[in-house]
Amino acid sequence: MSSPATSSDREKVVSKLPGWLRQNLKIRAAQRGIEIQAAVEQGIRDWCGLASTTTSVDTSGADSFSTFLPPGQWDDFRQVVADRRISLIQGLAQSVQLWLDTHPAPDVERPEITRRIIVCNQKGGVGKTAITAGLGEALAEDPNTLHSVQIAKALTKALRASEAGQDDQVTGDPLDIENLPGLGLRVLLVDFDPQCHLTNQLGASPLPMNGDSLTNHMAGDPKGDLRDLVVSIDDAAFGGRLHLLPACNDAFLLDVRLSAVRAREAALERALAPLEADYDVILVDCPPSLGLSMDAASYYGRRREGEKPGQSGALIVVQAEDSSADAYELLTTQIEDLRGDLQIDVDYLGIVVNLYDSRRGYIATSSLQGWVDIKDPRVVGLIGDLKEQKEAVRMKQPLLSYAPRSQQAIGMRALAREIA
């Protein structure tokens, strides 16, 4: 039942565990940030220290399970199991269950101040909507389920490969992927674009022109409670934590209506303030505009009193081509002007290079290098131009539930952790 391991201070042991218990152990160890072998070691030690056996565990369907334990622990454990007259499999199952019972899943870490992330670039077609949706989905995923995540060093590796002109198409080497629990945050996606792309992509209906809308609330002419307009993205992966405030075509008139509003830069904040207590993160999908609506979005994302730097602010989505660079300059100039005029802090959360394909040659790779060279804000995400996102849009489904193991989904989860 045991054989020497390559490690000098541990030995490999082989037994059996039911699949459900093995999966619970795997998830809980990841949630607690420890190795499975350390959890099993502690569970066995604590179980052997009990005066008697614990409640019997259903071990039907148990199959092979191996781990590494300190030398001698497995032999001592076998003796205790024999003394208590139960099977070795039952003793191991009770030990693992004891560790699970005494090490509950940690609570989701929630921000003291609701985070407000404005996803922006005045250039259309760069994929702001896809990034808004994917990031929101990644932030809301089930914390009691493991999801494939591209680890930080993989992003660095991909950036370096692209800089060198290599075709490392964010391929996701298995060694660069970790299975981690979802972040489990309560997320509101705000479709602030009159084109309603976010609303349509997630399978919701745009709000009717003759009804209530975010535009009405910002213009000081509400027709009801804004909460009544919010819809849930009903998917098991998000457990009721992901919501959407749909757009309305009346947002095409927003700048005109805001021109008659006092303190118009605070209009979005006034409208969304009643909803903030219900969410950990609010993501605003901004229109491709440099008008008053963008001022209102930038002001909403400003750093509030008592808020740590980098919690809220602007996430800028670009592509690896020249026109994105021109648009970036216009956007940052507007944000800097607003900072100076109103004496506020608007943090840059980073740059996401979206729809990247190194096979497009020098233009793509050299443009990516240009984004990397900026340094502040730094590149926090590199998302490939792959088919799964387009398919999810066509199917009107969230990317992370339609193709949860796709490279784009893995990259979205990495982005969520980069800015978390």
Side-chain angles (χ1 to χ4, degrees), residues 42-199:
Q42 185 169 0
I44 289 176
R45 184 172 61 248
D46 292 345
W47 184 83
C48 289
L50 297 175
S52 61
T53 60
T54 57
T55 303
S56 180
V57 175
D58 181 5
T59 59
S60 57
D63 54 16
S64 181
F65 172 78
S66 62
T67 188
F68 292 87
L69 297 175
Q73 186 182 44
W74 189 247
D75 290 335
D76 293 342
F77 172 64
R78 288 164 59 99
Q79 184 60 54
V80 174
V81 165
D83 291 344
R84 293 178 179 177
R85 298 185 178 182
I86 60 174
S87 70
L88 191 63
I89 296 173
Q90 180 63 216
L92 179 59
Q94 290 185 18
S95 299
V96 170
Q97 188 60 56
L98 176 63
W99 184 84
L100 290 169
D101 292 342
T102 54
H103 295 81
D107 293 332
V108 172
E109 293 186 18
R110 306 194 183 280
E112 295 182 6
I113 299 174
T114 300
R115 299 184 63 191
R116 301 154 325 280
I117 300 174
I118 58 170
V119 184
C120 52
N121 192 333
Q122 65 92 199
K123 182 181 185 299
V126 296
K128 294 186 296 292
T129 297
I131 296 301
T132 303
L135 175 57
E137 293 160 22
L139 290 167
E141 278 189 312
D142 186 359
N144 294 310
T145 302
L146 297 182
H147 309 274
S148 299
V149 181
Q150 188 177 50
I151 59 178
K153 70 177 182 180
L155 174 60
T156 302
K157 175 184 175 183
L159 291 174
R160 288 175 177 171
S162 297
E163 292 165 22
Q166 299 170 9
D167 191 15
D168 190 1
Q169 251 316 93
V170 200
T171 52
D173 186 319
L175 295 178
D176 295 331
I177 304 299
E178 286 187 9
N179 291 318
L180 299 175
L183 296 174
L185 297 174
R186 302 166 299 175
V187 178
L188 174 65
L189 304 175
V190 177
D191 193 346
F192 197 40
D193 188 340
Q195 299 173 91
C196 308
H197 290 322
L198 180 61
T199 301

